[in-house]
Amino acid sequence: MKKVTVNASRVYDIIIDKGILDRAGELCATVKKPCRAAILTDSNVAPLYLARLEKSLSGAGYETVSYTIPAGESSKSAENYLAFLSFLAQNKITRSDCIFALGGGVVGDLCGFCAATYLRGVEFIQIPTTLLAMVDSSVGGKTAIDIPEGKNLVGAFYQPSLVICDYDTLSTLPDDIFTDGCAEVIKYGLINDKELFCKLKNPIMPQIEDIIENCVRNKRDVVDADERDTGVRQLLNLGHTAAHSIEALSDFAISHGSAVAMGMAIILRAAAALGHISKEDCDEAIGRISSYGLPTDCPYSARELADVALNDKKRQGGSITLIMPFGIGDSRLYKVSVDSLEEIFKAGL
Ligand code: NAD
Ligand code: GLY
């Protein structure tokens, strides 16, 4: 078992171990005395893991109710947000009760936003079941829903009280979704963890506990330093400026993980062209991304990528902050004028 503690506006642990879904009740009881537990999950995860979570929570004295949304990004919607809030109210969930997110990033983000706003804030516990959710979305308190005008445009910073990461649940994850999560793992290596990057020469699953712990420690460090995402937390956006454009241009047919892989390859090649990273490091990084079956060639032009990126919420007046790799494990915030973005993307295509 591994434990990582986050010291943000709330102090909480991320517990990483095999099979701990069946011990969720006992683990939760260490941070929240038995109460009513409202579980949010999705239609793929419910038949696999909901009964086990309910059994464990009831065994520890919690009284459970559950709500299942259809699997998929389209469920991170205002409709489901309101529907789950109504479910909480109809089930008389009070401020002394607790909400549980059982699933991937979609369930976690939606559940977290409901927890942040229902009764002006109710405690919630994350039980991530995808690699992406284990290494990224369940930690750090970014909660959100999508609206027709864009992804994650409505949300709140709201930290969970506990994260229970049972990596046994990854055994049922479809291969393409696991591969998507690998893009985020590689990202941590490229940002500031060369040792992690080297470990990724070998397959992830045999070293999964270590890898999740490494990623979560990296994320914890930036969240502790910059919970509200005004400084170093932005490092987590390596490759994401182009990736968000790629996802939008494909009408979300290209998955987030694939888009992040392409986005990282673009910024790596641009960094090499600008002389910031050596050709060897650039080639090695792109080789590692490809070795996980992730794409590194982008089907869109620099103009298309830049146009969409400049409508993104991360633009600050006349400039935009990119994350620029200067070496493997050495990425830095890099402010550029909006006028130069297209040229930078062109250098990376
Ligand atoms: P997801 O939640 O849609 O899960 C992907 C698919 O896997 C779904 O079909 C789901 O039903 C299925 N699934 C989940 N666990 C499973 C399991 N153990 N076995 C079988 N199937 C399983 O997607 P995701 O990739 O986990 O998360 C993506 C979301 O996370 C996006 O909405 C993104 O915006 C958000 N996100 C948030 C943060 C953050 O900091 N809050 C960070 C990164 C991404
Ligand atoms: N996934 C980016 C962040 O949490 O800031």
Side-chain angles (χ1 to χ4, degrees):
M1 178 190 283
K2 297 277 202 303
K3 186 169 90 172
V4 178
T5 303
V6 178
N7 265 286
S9 50
R10 192 193 287 277
V11 177
Y12 58 96
D13 291 333
I14 299 134
I15 299 173
I16 308 158
D17 205 352
K18 191 179 165 62
I20 45 172
L21 182 62
D22 299 313
R23 291 181 46 217
E26 165 204 333
L27 295 169
C28 292
T30 62
V31 296
K32 179 78 187 161
K33 70 176 193 308
C35 58
R36 305 201 72 215
I39 304 166
L40 181 70
T41 189
D42 78 21
S43 53
N44 289 334
V45 176
L48 295 167
Y49 302 114
L50 179 58
R52 280 173 58 193
L53 176 60
E54 287 176 328
K55 184 168 175 232
S56 176
L57 289 173
S58 332
Y62 294 85
E63 187 192 330
T64 65
V65 288
S66 68
Y67 189 86
T68 301
I69 53 172
E73 182 69 33
S74 60
S75 276
K76 224 171 89 177
S77 62
E79 291 74 23
N80 281 332
Y81 168 68
L82 291 177
F84 188 53
L85 294 182
S86 291
F87 174 85
L88 296 174
Q90 283 157 13
N91 282 281
K92 305 202 170 11
I93 299 298
T94 69
R95 267 203 198 140
S96 53
D97 293 323
C98 190
I99 306 181
F100 288 73
L102 174 68
V106 165
V107 166
D109 280 13
L110 171 64
C111 186
F113 187 49
C114 290
T117 49
Y118 179 68
L119 302 179
R120 300 193 182 86
V122 177
E123 279 188 69
F124 89 113
I125 289 177
Q126 289 267 21
I127 307 185
T129 62
T130 64
L131 182 58
L132 177 139
M134 291 183 191
V135 301
D136 191 355
S137 63
S138 65
V139 177
K142 277 192 183 173
T143 74
I145 57 170
D146 306 331
I147 56 173
E149 289 72 17
K151 263 186 74 167
N152 297 326
L153 284 189
V154 180
F157 289 96
Y158 191 71
Q159 304 290 341
S161 299
L162 181 69
V163 181
I164 297 174
C165 206
D166 178 353
Y167 51 81
D168 252 359
T169 60
L170 297 175
S171 64
T172 53
L173 206 58
D175 288 346
D176 57 330
I177 309 231
F178 183 80
T179 301
D180 264 10
C182 293
E184 302 289 347
V185 175
I186 297 167
K187 182 191 78 177
Y188 285 109
L190 291 174
I191 292 172
N192 62 2
D193 193 341
K194 193 166 184 177
E195 208 177 307
L196 168 63
F197 181 84
C198 293
K199 285 184 189 166
L200 300 177
K201 268 187 204 144
N202 300 313
I204 287 187
M205 266 329 269
Q207 39 174 355
I208 190 72
E209 187 170 300
D210 270 0
I211 298 281
I212 295 171
E213 187 202 14
N214 269 219
C215 294
V216 163
R217 280 192 189 284
N218 279 306
K219 179 141 189 189
R220 184 276 309 275
D221 289 348
V222 292
V223 169
D224 282 2
D226 175 28
E227 182 175 355
R228 309 285 296 194
D229 204 15
T230 56
V232 288
R233 186 167 180 167
Q234 293 171 52
L235 287 170
L236 299 174
N237 293 332
L238 176 68
H240 281 56
T241 304
H244 289 149
S245 299
I246 293 166
E247 284 182 280
L249 286 162
S250 76
D251 211 7
F252 295 92
I254 298 180
S255 69
H256 181 67
S258 293
V260 168
M262 293 178 201
M264 289 193 295
I266 291 170
I267 202 69
L268 280 158
R269 286 188 213 102
L274 291 164
H276 297 319
I277 190 172
S278 69
K279 173 96 175 60
E280 294 70 38
D281 277 3
C282 173
D283 289 348
E284 190 182 351
I286 292 178
R288 188 64 41 82
I289 297 168
S290 303
S291 74
Y292 278 83
L294 288 158
T296 55
D297 289 325
C298 168
Y300 302 108
S301 69
R303 165 66 65 88
E304 289 171 305
L305 295 177
D307 280 350
V308 178
L310 294 176
N311 284 323
D312 191 89
K313 62 185 184 296
K314 293 186 180 66
R315 175 178 172 165
Q316 307 126 346
S319 67
I320 186 162
T321 301
L322 297 177
I323 310 309
M324 187 63 75
F326 283 74
I328 290 173
D330 177 16
S331 298
R332 306 179 199 167
L333 303 190
Y334 189 87
K335 213 173 208 184
V336 298
S337 76
V338 294
D339 302 333
S340 59
L341 189 63
E342 186 180 335
E343 276 310 301
I344 292 175
F345 284 154
K346 199 180 276 175
L349 284 172

